[in-house]
């Protein structure tokens, strides 16, 4: 399972040929309503293309894990905003001073199917209609939209059963290797269909949403939108316009974790997670409502960590849980049962802290399960 950033470009390679970044040299030629990274004399345009939802003019008010972004070769078009660079905006319309910053979790390489839902049997199903946008019609999964049933079940992929722990919170398959082709057993009703599907798409799913009113007028035609100091490195969609890779530093590599949750708020930027109660505000949290456990990992590998809790009728909301050490942190995701949080993650040998907040006196248990990655059916499709 990939939880780090892409094996992409370090800063020193950003201007080499073939990156496919859309760059503009003349400020007069910036797109009206466009966002760009300004580095030196170049403006690098924010980018998004394949999504499983409609990008509207209205900005999101809360994260929606069903929202998925897909990138293939066009991953190279996502610009990198290093700390010290400037995020630029230009408009000739009335300036809306509130900017949406929707953060997306880097899921890693997967196939072109999203929003897989767990069934009562523990299997995973998806809607087959192209109108549902669960299938990336630009991927080799497009023929699955021609199945005769409204929903279909993926029972096995790469010779392994597809069950909980191998599917992300946004319904994407985890544990697949970049560029590998997998044989998938898909059932329409009781009829089995086999498909060879390549894990050649990078997927990202919505995880946090913020709003900001922190900007500065710059020169005569543009403004710079300021990134909060406490933002961790991550992938941010700005005003539904395009994605930017933000690096809280001056470089990154394949070991950089782009999924470390942001844990503070400020006066200028506040969390907009209002429709669900996954996060408890600092004012509401008390020391008595923070539970910590030590998780000891005996060897490097993939692990599923799960926190189960007893729901009640008092409307206490959903707790949150984070696994972390001095180097990395992993946010656990709410399961369909509404009574547990879980995440599969690659962990190195050592001790980690499991921190749970928002239980509000509810009893809980936690478990650690070692997982195996899927085996590829073939190296190339």
């Amino acid at each position: 399972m990939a939880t780090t950033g892409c094996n992409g470009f370090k800063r020193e390679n950003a201007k080499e040929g073939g990156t496919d970044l859309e760059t503009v040299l003349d400020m007069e030629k910036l797109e009206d309503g466009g966002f760009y990274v300004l580095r030196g004399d170049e403006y690098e345009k924010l980018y998004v293309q394949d999504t499983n939802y409609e990008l509207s003019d209205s900005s999101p008010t809360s994260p929606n894990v069903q929202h998925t972004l897909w990138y293939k070769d066009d991953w190279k078009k996502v610009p990198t905003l290093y700390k010290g660079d400037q995020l630029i905006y230009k408009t000739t319309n009335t300036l809306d001073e509130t900017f949406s910053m929707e953060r997306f979790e880097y899921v890693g390489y997967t196939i072109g199917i999203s929003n897989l839902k767990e069934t009562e049997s523990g299997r995973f199903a998806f809607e087959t209609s192209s109108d549902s946008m669960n299938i990336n019609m630009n991927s080799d999964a497009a023929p699955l939209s021609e199945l005769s049933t409204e929903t279909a079940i993926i029972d096995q992929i790469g010779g392994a059963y597809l069950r909980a722990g191998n599917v992300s919170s946004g319904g994407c398959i985890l544990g697949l290797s970049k560029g590998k082709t997998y044989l998938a057993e898909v059932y329409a009703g009781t009829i089995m269909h086999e498909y060879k599907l390549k894990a050649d798409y990078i997927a990202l799913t919505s995880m946090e949403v913020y709003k900001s009113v922190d900007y500065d007028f710059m020169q005569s035609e543009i403004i710079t939108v300021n990134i909060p100091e406490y933002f961790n490195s991550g992938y941010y969609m700005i005003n539904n316009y395009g994605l930017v890779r933000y690096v809280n530093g001056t470089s990154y590599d394949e070991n950089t974790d782009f999924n470390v949750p942001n844990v503070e708020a400020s006066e200028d930027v506040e969390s907009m997670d209002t429709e669900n109660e996954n996060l408890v505000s600092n004012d509401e949290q008390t020391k008595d409502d923070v539970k910590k456990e030590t998780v000891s990992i005996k060897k490097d590998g993939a692990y599923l960590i799960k926190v189960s809790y007893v729901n009640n009728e008092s409307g206490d909301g959903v707790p949150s849980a984070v696994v972390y050490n001095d180097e990395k942190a992993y946010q656990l995701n709410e399961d369909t049962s509404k009574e547990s949080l879980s995440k599969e993650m690659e962990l190195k040998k050592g001790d980690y802290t499991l921190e749970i907040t928002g239980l509000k006196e509810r009893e809980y248990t936690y478990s650690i399960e070692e997982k195996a990655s899927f085996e590829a059916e073939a190296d190339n499709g």
Side-chain angles (χ1 to χ4, degrees):
M1 181 182 115
T3 57
T4 62
C6 67
N7 297 323
F9 314 105
K10 298 183 181 180
R11 187 173 195 178
E12 57 266 24
N13 298 328
K15 294 184 179 181
E16 291 182 3
T19 63
D20 294 328
L21 286 172
E22 183 172 337
T23 59
V24 178
L25 297 178
D26 186 352
M27 183 173 61
E28 297 287 339
K29 296 182 179 179
L30 296 179
E31 179 181 313
D32 193 4
F35 288 86
Y36 297 79
V37 173
L38 175 59
R39 187 176 300 112
D41 297 327
E42 293 186 349
Y43 300 87
E44 299 173 351
K45 187 177 180 180
L46 273 59
Y47 175 81
V48 65
Q49 182 66 37
D50 289 336
T51 69
N52 72 346
Y53 66 103
E54 295 289 347
L55 288 172
S56 62
D57 293 333
S58 59
S59 297
T61 58
S62 64
N64 185 338
V65 293
Q66 296 183 4
H67 287 177
T68 298
L69 310 178
W70 280 299
Y71 290 88
K72 198 175 181 181
D73 294 338
D74 58 346
W75 184 239
K76 301 173 184 178
K77 291 188 176 183
V78 177
T80 301
L81 176 70
Y82 296 93
K83 194 168 187 176
D85 293 335
Q86 292 174 307
L87 178 63
I88 297 303
Y89 176 61
K90 176 181 179 179
T91 183
T92 58
N93 296 317
T94 301
L95 178 62
D96 184 346
E97 293 188 307
T98 301
F99 298 93
S100 169
M101 299 178 178
E102 182 177 12
R103 188 176 179 191
F104 279 76
E105 177 182 8
Y106 181 89
V107 175
Y109 278 91
T110 188
I111 62 175
I113 300 176
S114 65
N115 283 341
L116 284 159
K117 304 292 185 183
E118 189 172 3
T119 68
E120 292 184 5
S121 70
R123 294 174 173 83
F124 282 85
F126 63 97
E127 294 183 35
T128 59
S129 169
S130 59
D131 293 337
S132 71
M133 302 179 70
N134 293 329
I135 300 173
N136 185 338
M137 299 303 292
N138 292 324
S139 74
D140 58 9
L144 277 70
S145 66
E146 300 173 2
L147 290 168
S148 59
T149 54
E150 292 182 358
T151 63
I153 292 174
I154 301 180
D155 190 48
Q156 293 189 37
I157 183 165
Y161 289 105
L162 183 62
R163 300 294 187 268
N166 290 320
V167 178
S168 74
S169 59
C172 297
I173 298 177
L174 300 170
L176 304 183
S177 299
K178 174 184 177 181
K180 300 286 188 178
T181 298
Y182 297 83
L183 184 64
E185 293 184 1
V186 181
Y187 285 83
T190 61
I191 310 302
M192 186 184 77
H193 303 262
E194 291 186 335
Y195 296 88
K196 288 186 176 181
L197 304 175
K198 181 179 287 189
D200 55 357
Y201 274 88
I202 291 171
L204 304 96
T205 55
S206 179
M207 64 180 286
E208 298 168 350
V209 176
Y210 303 86
K211 64 179 179 180
S212 174
V213 294
D214 185 8
Y215 71 91
D216 294 304
F217 287 105
M218 182 180 176
Q219 301 179 26
S220 59
E221 297 186 16
I222 57 180
I223 64 172
T224 177
V225 180
N226 298 316
I227 302 297
E229 285 293 324
Y230 72 89
F231 267 24
N232 288 314
S233 298
Y235 292 93
Y236 295 85
M237 177 79 75
I238 309 298
N239 272 27
N240 272 338
Y241 178 83
L243 193 71
V244 64
R245 178 188 300 104
Y246 173 64
V247 176
N248 189 351
T250 58
S251 66
Y252 74 98
D253 58 28
E254 66 275 6
N255 295 315
T256 302
D257 189 347
F258 284 94
N259 295 336
V260 177
N262 297 328
V263 294
E264 289 185 37
S266 71
E267 293 180 359
D268 294 324
V269 179
E270 59 187 82
S271 173
M272 297 176 65
D273 189 13
T274 55
E275 293 185 5
N276 60 56
E277 299 177 1
N278 286 2
L279 300 180
V280 180
S281 69
N282 290 333
D283 291 336
E284 293 173 341
Q285 286 184 10
T286 65
K287 291 183 179 179
D288 292 337
D289 198 30
V290 178
K291 308 296 183 183
K292 292 186 178 182
E293 305 280 357
T294 299
V295 175
S296 295
I297 301 300
K298 303 301 182 184
K299 63 178 182 178
D300 297 355
Y303 293 86
L304 173 67
I305 297 183
K306 184 174 184 178
V307 175
S308 300
Y309 53 91
V310 179
N311 254 328
N312 51 42
E313 298 179 358
S314 60
D316 283 337
V318 179
S320 63
V322 179
V323 175
Y324 63 89
N325 62 6
D326 293 337
E327 298 179 354
K328 293 186 178 182
Y330 302 88
Q331 182 84 42
L332 274 63
N333 301 309
E334 181 184 1
D335 292 342
T336 55
S337 67
K338 307 295 183 182
E339 294 185 344
S340 61
L341 306 162
S342 66
K343 188 176 184 65
E344 185 178 340
M345 57 198 83
E346 294 281 349
L347 299 177
K348 294 183 178 180
K349 179 181 177 181
D351 289 339
Y352 294 77
T353 298
L354 170 61
E355 183 174 305
I356 312 165
T357 58
L359 284 166
K360 299 184 178 179
E361 299 184 352
R362 285 175 288 187
E363 295 182 355
Y364 72 95
T365 60
Y366 71 95
S367 61
I368 307 168
E369 179 184 353
E370 188 173 359
K371 304 296 292 185
S373 300
F374 293 113
E375 294 296 332
E377 285 294 312
D379 286 346
N380 296 294

